[in-house]
C-alpha cells in the first residue's frame, strides 16, 4: 500500500507539465462564456497541488501507521486540520462541478436545437417541433425561380391561357371575381392550373412553422425543384438528353452538399405537379414520352410527391390542386355547410371529353350511357364553348349531382375527382388506380365509405349499367357517403399559401408533410 502511494506522489511533474496548463486554459475558455466556472477550473488543480504537498509531508519516510503512531505527540495538528479542511473543500467543489455540468448541453446537436427554438419563437420548455424540423435547400434559381420569371417559355402554342397567369398569388393563380356569386366564392376561389403543385407546395413550405436553418436537427430535407415545370419547357421539340439535363445537374449539385451524405439522399423529398410516369422514360427513342429523371441512380433515393404515383415505393400521390384556397378554418366550415344544403337534381353527371384514339375507351362508354339516361347530366369538354376550365361551371354541375363519374383519362387519375369531393358529390370510379391505390395519406382505406366502384370491364361487356348500379344505393347509404365526402374536403384542399390556415383540420399540405416525416423516420429506423 505504501509503495503504491509513494509511487503515486511522483505524478507532480506530469501534473505541472500537462494537467495544470490544460486546466488553466480550459478555465480561461470558460471565463469567456461563464466567468463563474473560471474560478472552479483554476481552483480545483491548485487545491489538488496543496493536497499533494500535505500528503507528502504527512507520509514521507515511513508507512502511514508508523508515522501516526510514533510522531503523534510531535505533530503539528494545525497541519492536519488544514489537510482535512482542504480535502473537504475539494470534495465539495468536485461534487458541485459534477452536478453543474450535468445541466449544460451535452452536445452541439442539443445546442443547435436550443438555438432553433429561439428562431421559431418556441417559448415553452418542450419543443413542439421535435421530430418535425425540415431544412430547405437553397437551390440555384435556375431550378425554380427562373422558370417563373421566364414563364412565357412554359406556354405552348395550343394553350388557351398563358402560364404566366397561373404563377400569380404564390402559384394559385388569379382570383375569381363573379358578381352573381356569394362572398365565399369571390374571396377563396382562384383559377388554379392543375399542373402547378410544386409552386404551391414550395410557397407553403416557406411558411412551415418548423423550418430550420440547421440541417443537423432536420428530420427531412426539402428540395424545391420545379420538376414538372422544367419538364414542360422541354417536352416538345427537344431530345431526351435535354429533357433530363436540369435534373442531372440538380443531382450533381445535391451530391456535393453535406446534407446528402448522411442518408445518401433518402431523407430528401421533392414535389412534382406532373404524374410520376412523365419522369420514367425508358428509352431515348423520339416517340418516348417524358424524361428519365427518376431513373437517375441517385434520384431514386429521394421521395417524390406527385399528383399520380406509379408502382414505385419512393413516389407518393397527393391531391391535385383545386380552385378552392381558403385562408381561414371558418371559410372551410362555411363551404362544407353550403354543400350539405345543396339541391341535387341530377342523379349522376360526367364532365369530360371522349377519347376517340383509344380503343374500348371507358370514357366513350360512359358518355354513351349518360346520353341514353334521363338521370345523367353531361358536360362535354370536347364541344365548342364547353367552359370545362371554368371552376364555377364545374362546381355548379357537381354541386347539383348526387354521383360524379370519374373514369381514367390520359392517365388513371383526374383533377375532377377532387373537384367532385369539393362539391360534396360522391365519386364513382371505374379503376382502382384512379384513387384507391393512390392517395393513401388523404383518403380513407375503406373506399366504400365515400365512393362507388363499377368495373370498367363489366361496363364495356354490358354486364353492368351505371344507372342500375347507382339506383341500388339506399338513401341511408347515400346520405352517409355524402357526409363522408364533405368531411374529406379539408383533407384534399391546399390553403392559401400567403396566409397560415388556423384550423383544427389538416389540409392536403399538412397531411403530405406528416406522411413524409413518418416515411423518412421509418427509413432512418430501418437503417436504410
Amino acid at each position: 500500500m505504501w509503495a503504491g502511494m509513494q509511487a503515486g506522489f511522483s505524478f507532480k511533474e506530469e501534473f505541472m507539465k500537462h494537467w495544470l496548463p490544460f486546466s488553466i486554459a480550459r478555465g480561461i475558455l470558460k471565463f469567456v462564456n461563464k466567468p463563474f466556472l473560471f474560478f472552479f477550473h483554476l481552483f480545483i488543480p491548485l487545491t489538488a497541488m496543496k493536497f499533494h504537498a500535505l500528503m507528502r509531508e504527512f507520509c514521507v519516510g515511513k508507512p502511514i501507521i508508523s508515522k501516526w503512531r510514533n510522531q503523534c505527540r510531535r505533530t503539528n495538528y494545525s497541519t492536519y486540520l488544514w489537510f482535512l479542511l482542504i480535502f473537504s473543500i475539494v470534495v465539495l467543489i468536485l461534487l458541485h462541478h459534477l452536478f453543474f455540468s450535468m445541466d449544460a448541453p451535452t452536445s452541439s446537436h442539443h445546442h443547435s436545437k436550443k438555438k432553433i427554438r429561439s428562431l421559431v419563437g418556441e417559448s415553452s420548455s418542450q419543443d413542439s417541433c421535435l421530430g418535425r424540423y425540415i431544412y430547405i435547400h437553397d437551390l440555384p434559381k435556375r431550378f425554380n425561380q427562373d422558370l417563373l420569371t421566364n414563364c412565357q417559355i412554359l406556354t405552348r402554342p395550343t394553350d388557351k391561357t398563358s402560364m404566366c397567369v397561373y404563377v400569380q398569388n404564390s402559384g394559385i393563380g388569379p382570383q375569381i371575381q363573379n358578381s352573381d356569386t356569394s362572398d365565399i366564392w369571390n374571396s377563396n376561389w382562384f383559377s388554379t392550373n392543375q399542373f402547378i403543385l410544386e409552386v404551391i407546395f414550395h410557397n407553403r413550405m416557406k411558411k412551415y412553422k418548423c423550418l430550420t436553418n440547421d440541417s443537423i436537427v432536420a428530420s427531412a430535407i426539402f428540395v424545391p425543384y420545379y420538376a414538372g415545370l422544367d419538364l414542360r419547357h422541354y417536352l416538345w421539340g427537344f431530345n431526351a438528353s435535354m429533357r433530363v439535363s436540369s435534373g442531372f445537374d440538380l443531382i450533381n449539385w445535391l451530391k456535393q452538399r453535406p446534407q446528402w451524405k448522411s442518408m445518401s439522399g433518402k431523407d430528401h423529398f421533392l414535389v412534382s405537379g406532373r404524374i410520376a410516369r412523365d419522369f420514367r422514360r425508358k428509352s431515348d427513342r423520339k416517340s418516348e414520352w417524358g424524361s428519365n429523371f427518376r431513373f437517375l441512380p441517385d434520384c431514386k433515393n429521394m421521395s417524390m410527391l406527385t399528383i399520380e404515383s406509379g408502382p414505385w415505393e419512393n413516389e407518393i400521390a397527393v391531391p391535385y390542386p383545386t380552385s378552392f384556397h381558403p385562408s381561414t378554418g371558418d371559410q372551410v366550415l362555411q363551404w362544407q355547410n353550403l354543400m350539405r344544403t345543396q339541391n341535387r337534381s341530377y342523379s349522376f353527371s360526367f364532365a369530360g371529353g371522349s377519347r376517340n384514339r383509344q380503343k374500348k375507351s371507358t370514357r366513350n362508354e360512359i358518355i354513351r350511357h349518360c346520353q341514353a339516361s334521363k338521370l345523367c347530366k353531361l358536360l362535354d369538354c370536347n364541344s365548342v364553348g364547353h367552359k370545362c376550365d371554368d371552376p364555377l361551371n364545374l362546381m355548379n354541375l357537381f354541386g347539383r349531382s348526387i354521383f360524379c363519374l370519374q373514369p381514367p383519362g390520359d392517365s388513371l387519375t383526374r383533377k375532377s375527382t377532387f373537384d367532385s369531393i369539393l362539391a360534396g358529390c360522391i365519386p364513382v370510379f371505374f379503376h382502382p388506380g384512379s384513387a384507391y391505390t393512390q392517395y393513401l395519406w388523404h383518403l380513407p382505406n375503406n373506399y366504400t365509405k365515400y365512393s362507388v366502384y363499377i368495373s370498367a370491364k363489366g361496363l364495356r361487356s354490358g354486364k353492368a349499367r351505371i344507372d342500375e348500379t347507382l339506383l341500388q344505393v339506399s338513401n341511408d347509404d347515400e346520405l352517409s357517403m355524402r357526409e363522408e365526402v364533405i368531411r374529406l374536403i379539408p383533407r384534399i384542399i391546399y390553403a392559401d399559401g400567403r396566409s397560415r390556415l388556423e384550423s383544427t383540420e389538416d389540409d392536403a399540405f399538412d397531411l403530405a408533410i406528416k406522411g413524409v416525416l413518418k416515411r423518412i423516420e421509418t427509413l432512418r429506423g430501418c437503417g436504410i
Side-chain angles (χ1 to χ4, degrees), residues 470-483:
L470 298 180
L471 286 173
Q472 292 176 4
V473 179
S474 67
N475 289 336
D476 289 342
D477 288 342
E478 175 194 319
L479 292 174
S480 177
M481 282 191 287
R482 182 182 304 117
E483 184 57 34

Side-chain angles (χ1 to χ4, degrees), residues 65 72 78 101 185 218-219 221 239 332 357 389 391 410 421 443 525:
I65 297 177
C72 61
S78 64
S101 298
W185 281 91
S219 296
I221 297 177
N239 57 31
V332 179
R357 292 179 297 178
D389 295 330
D410 296 327
I421 292 175
L443 299 179

Side-chain angles (χ1 to χ4, degrees), residues 138-148 198 202 223-230 244-254 293:
D138 185 15
L139 299 182
K141 291 184 178 181
R142 58 170 292 207
F143 295 118
N144 43 47
Q145 186 58 45
D146 285 352
L147 292 168
L148 303 184
E198 53 234 43
H202 186 195
V223 182
Y225 170 47
Y226 297 167
L229 294 183
D230 184 57
V244 78
S245 59
S246 294
F248 184 80
D249 292 341
L250 171 73
I251 297 300
N252 287 335
W253 186 92
L254 290 172
F293 173 60

Side-chain angles (χ1 to χ4, degrees), residues 24 35 42 62 66 75 78-79 149 212 299 307 354 398 431 440 473 509-510:
I24 293 174
L42 290 184
K62 294 182 180 181
S66 176
T75 299
S78 64
T79 301
T149 303
T212 174
C299 186
I307 54 177
S354 61
F398 294 158
H431 192 289
L440 305 181
V473 179
F509 170 83
D510 297 323

Side-chain angles (χ1 to χ4, degrees), residues 42 76 90 106 133-134 193 210 233 237 254 280 323 405 465:
L42 290 184
N76 184 351
V90 169
T106 56
Y133 283 114
I134 295 180
N193 188 281
C210 291
H233 176 207
L254 290 172
R280 292 188 175 271
S323 293
L405 309 182
R465 288 190 55 85

